[in-house]
Amino acid sequence: MTKIKKIDHIGIAVKNLDEAIKIWEGLGLKVDEIEEVPREKIRAAILHVGESRIELLEPTDENSAIAKFIAKRGEGIHHLALGVENIEEHMKDLKEKGYRLIYEEPKEGAGGARITFVHPKSTGGILLELCERKE
Ligand code: CMX
């Protein structure tokens, strides 16, 4: 198993990014960047918290994973992302152990990170992202 470096970010599903930003800036955090990720059909606000971040995720399409999550469960924590050193090796290892990966190859996520997800059915109910980024 390759090294897990840190909790890279926590993804939070929100209906309206501007309203969510007001709430989180009111809580004392600051938005560092806003980015659209067309492949994931989201607009993301990134708020750095020490070595980690919070990502506020607003759906840009009703068929996106975030829109479906909000429709079924409401706004709230959507996923937990672990920062890994080598995503391919990590994916291979988890696959051999029987974990269900959602993307068979790493894809590009917010901030140019290379990402995949582990299905909540194989983690005890948490959607887990693996995330490799150049620091
Ligand atoms: N956390 C925990 N459980 C979740 C979940 C989440 N975020 N999303 C769905 N589930 C649950 C569902 O409620 C369902 O549970 P039950 O069967 O008990 O009702 C179960 O997982 C399976 O759901 P499903 O019908 O197989 O699939 P969905 O259509 O709900 O899709 C998922 C779920 C995880 C496969 C899909 O959201 C996905 O592919 N996610 C990866 C991509 C993604 O999340 N992109 C957005 C963020 C992008 C980014 O940050 O860059």
Side-chain angles (χ1 to χ4, degrees), residues 5-135:
K5 299 202 280 192
K6 60 181 180 184
I7 292 177
D8 184 88
H9 66 268
I10 294 171
I12 299 180
V14 304
K15 287 182 187 163
N16 182 298
L17 198 58
D18 295 335
E19 283 174 20
I21 287 170
K22 269 187 217 149
I23 293 171
W24 283 88
E25 291 203 325
L27 288 166
L29 296 172
K30 189 179 147 292
V31 173
D32 294 290
E33 52 202 272
I34 294 181
E35 184 186 349
E36 185 151 351
V37 186
R39 198 185 42 72
E40 292 290 346
K41 303 187 182 81
I42 53 164
R43 216 155 64 90
I46 315 294
L47 302 91
H48 287 267
V49 192
E51 283 211 320
S52 192
R53 345 158 146 211
I54 286 176
E55 294 188 359
L56 304 175
L57 308 169
E58 175 196 64
T60 54
D61 184 293
E62 62 186 21
N63 290 316
S64 67
I66 296 296
K68 285 189 199 158
F69 177 86
I70 292 172
K72 197 167 174 184
R73 299 176 160 221
E75 295 178 288
I77 294 181
H78 177 258
H79 65 265
L80 172 68
L82 296 178
V84 299
E85 215 160 59
N86 183 321
I87 194 166
E88 274 91 359
E89 278 183 30
H90 219 87
M91 287 169 71
K92 184 169 171 284
D93 192 65
L94 293 188
K95 221 172 154 183
E96 281 168 9
K97 289 180 180 158
Y99 288 90
R100 188 166 146 199
L101 298 178
I102 293 178
Y103 301 152
E104 293 290 330
E105 299 291 336
K107 299 197 179 203
E108 190 175 327
R114 300 172 69 233
I115 64 168
T116 190
F117 291 88
V118 187
H119 198 283
K121 289 290 177 198
S122 54
T123 62
I126 303 291
L127 177 60
L128 188 71
E129 180 180 325
L130 302 179
C131 175
E132 180 193 308
R133 80 174 76 240
K134 291 194 183 81
E135 301 288 348

